Amino acid sequence: MIDVLVVGAGFGRDFLPLYQLHPEVARVGLVEPDAARRRATADAFGLDADYEDLDSALASGTWDAVHLLSPVRFHVEQTLAVLDSGRACASAVPMATELDDIARVVEAASGASGAYMMMETALYQREFLHALHLRDTGALGRLGYLSGAHIQDLDGYAPYWMGYPPMRYATHVIAPLLALADARVESVTCLGSGELLPLHRGDGTNPYPIESALMRLSTEAPLTAQVTVSFFENARSYQEGFNVYGDRGALEWPSVEGDAAIVYSAGPADGARGGRGIRREEVHAPDRTDSLPAALAPFTRDGRYRPPGGRPEVTVHASHGGSHPHLVHEFVSAVVDGREPAIGARRAATITAPGIVAHESAMQGGRMLEVPAY
Ligand SMILES: NC(=O)c1ccc[n+]([C@@H]2O[C@H](COP(=O)([O-])OP(=O)(O)OC[C@H]3O[C@@H](n4cnc5c(N)ncnc54)[C@H](O)[C@@H]3O)[C@@H](O)[C@H]2O)c1
């Protein structure tokens, strides 16, 4: 059994019940600097402890594992502090926003006694798990092209999102593409697109609301991925998805989140006409809950949870394709078993670095740049 500390009560709130329900977790605590929010969250969930800041939680001498869900700018220093304290550390994406900081985390994780995991929701979404199944059963054939887009309108979000370089948050698209291709990004060219309105410019260092990149993958046969991230000035509803194209079959992300994915399969070439017959099928990807503890399995979908001590029920949101229980179970299991988590530091670096280099390419007018190997 382990004790888990959740840091940040925004997105972090969705993870508190999952840790409380996990059969290998004994105590659950919270770090949250906003006093009113901290009090309300600790009361609503009946948490075992709460702290104003991470330092005092780490100084308490308790807690085996820490899950960071603080704003992006804190991820690196908080990760280093957690690993340095000898505890396991899970971090919300992105791992870092600079190559130097990726290197610092990779180095710290390689010498640490506690595990590191980047909590990439896209690697446990039901559509991704279905695409993996199609690939592994041969239904896609040989891959020829991949693409994906993360489109989110950040108008009205916290000030730190204003002017945020879109490609420095590209992990949700890059992660599934690299996993499907079993590859890393060798080089990237990227262009910025659109124009940020003055109220969205932040510190003014990034001029682009949208960035679109072409990535050369490390596969033996040439394979290209096109990745777009769009944060402002785009009247398209939310999407965080990918498409994968093979010579036998393909999967396209639902054009509206929550709708059916489209799966294509090619008939045999019969020489009688131009182009093979291509079948198109709408598919609702199944939830793959076999690997989850029974208490967590229902929470791949929105659900209700009754916290300890007879407290009133709360809603648990199952956004991001039902991935949250899988992430929690993988992190907790890795810590309990003393093994590397599925998304350890080098894999996290391999997923995070291409977007950072892509933004640099966009700032250099689209120059093709090499991406470090980890
Ligand atoms: N699909 C995904 O993987 C996904 C989705 C949403 C958010 N995220 C990531 O999760 C993190 C949290 O997102 P959010 O929307 O809740 O952010 P947020 O800006 O709402 O902040 C979350 C909480 O962290 C608290 N906080 C601020 N500074 C802190 C500090 N120094 N230490 C501890 N807590 C601090 C804030 O008071 C707030 O309650 C972000 O890094 C975001 O990028 C990932």
Side-chain angles (χ1 to χ4, degrees):
M1 297 286 274
I2 58 169
D3 295 340
V4 178
L5 188 67
V6 168
V7 179
F11 186 36
R13 191 184 161 97
D14 287 347
F15 288 86
L16 291 168
L18 302 177
Y19 285 113
Q20 287 184 311
L21 284 165
H22 197 288
E24 296 283 359
V25 175
R27 297 170 71 242
V28 178
L30 174 71
V31 173
E32 170 54 58
D34 179 319
R37 185 174 246 198
R38 181 173 70 250
R39 202 58 280 134
T41 310
D43 287 348
F45 288 92
L47 299 176
D48 296 294
D50 58 90
Y51 306 89
E52 188 178 0
D53 57 66
L54 179 61
D55 288 348
S56 43
L58 296 181
S60 71
T62 52
W63 311 109
D64 304 293
V66 180
H67 182 171
L68 303 173
L69 295 119
S70 49
V72 174
R73 66 186 181 283
F74 298 112
H75 291 181
V76 171
E77 299 310 327
Q78 290 186 337
T79 296
L80 296 175
V82 173
L83 291 175
D84 189 49
S85 78
R87 294 170 175 89
C89 183
S91 171
V93 306
M95 173 190 215
T97 56
E98 304 282 350
L99 292 181
D100 288 351
D101 284 336
I102 288 184
R104 291 169 70 209
V105 174
V106 169
E107 194 189 337
S110 72
S113 53
Y116 172 86
M117 176 165 170
M118 185 168 81
M119 301 296 261
E120 178 51 75
T121 48
L123 290 176
Y124 291 95
Q125 301 203 83
R126 57 181 75 85
E127 288 86 354
F128 168 71
L129 298 177
H130 189 62
L132 265 190
H133 168 74
L134 293 178
R135 183 199 69 177
D136 293 343
T137 52
L140 299 178
R142 285 185 311 161
L143 301 191
Y145 176 63
L146 304 120
S147 65
H150 177 174
I151 301 173
Q152 192 165 359
D153 190 37
L154 297 186
D155 183 76
Y157 271 58
Y160 66 82
W161 286 111
M162 300 305 122
Y164 190 103
M167 273 293 160
R168 290 192 184 167
Y169 204 94
T171 66
H172 294 327
V173 181
I174 294 171
L177 300 187
L178 295 188
L180 285 163
D182 194 17
R184 71 176 190 89
V185 179
E186 285 184 338
S187 54
V188 57
T189 171
C190 181
L191 293 174
S193 197
E195 200 174 5
L196 280 172
L197 292 174
L199 81 159
H200 296 150
R201 282 182 197 157
D203 68 7
T205 50
N206 163 53
Y208 303 122
I210 302 167
E211 292 179 319
S212 197
L214 278 179
M215 302 188 175
R216 163 76 67 210
L217 306 191
S218 61
T219 42
E220 216 170 290
L223 190 58
T224 302
Q226 184 186 352
V227 173
T228 298
V229 183
S230 166
F231 280 165
F232 291 101
E233 332 309 354
N234 184 358
R236 167 60 160 95
S237 60
Y238 165 77
Q239 182 181 50
E240 223 169 84
F242 66 87
N243 310 301
V244 54
Y245 301 94
D247 60 359
R248 295 175 59 139
L251 178 143
E252 286 180 348
W253 195 263
S255 76
V256 177
E257 292 288 311
D259 278 6
I262 309 297
V263 173
Y264 299 92
S265 47
D270 57 13
R273 57 183 168 167
R276 293 175 292 168
I278 308 274
R279 203 159 65 93
R280 177 187 186 278
E281 195 186 354
E282 295 192 1
V283 173
H284 285 280
D287 285 313
R288 295 176 190 275
T289 54
D290 295 358
S291 59
L292 292 175
L296 263 60
F299 294 99
T300 56
R301 301 281 171 175
D302 284 354
R304 303 282 295 164
Y305 166 63
R306 188 172 287 285
R311 290 176 168 76
E313 274 193 344
V314 292
T315 298
V316 183
H317 300 288
S319 42
H320 311 110
S323 58
H324 303 171
H326 290 282
L327 287 166
V328 163
H329 184 51
E330 171 57 18
F331 179 52
V332 170
S333 307
V335 176
V336 169
D337 298 345
R339 63 168 170 82
E340 169 96 347
I343 315 169
R346 287 181 193 281
R347 185 170 183 203
T350 304
I351 293 166
T352 310
I356 296 173
V357 178
H359 176 64
E360 184 54 35
S361 168
M363 296 303 284
Q364 295 184 30
R367 228 178 95 200
M368 179 70 87
L369 298 175
E370 302 291 315
V371 177
Y374 295 93

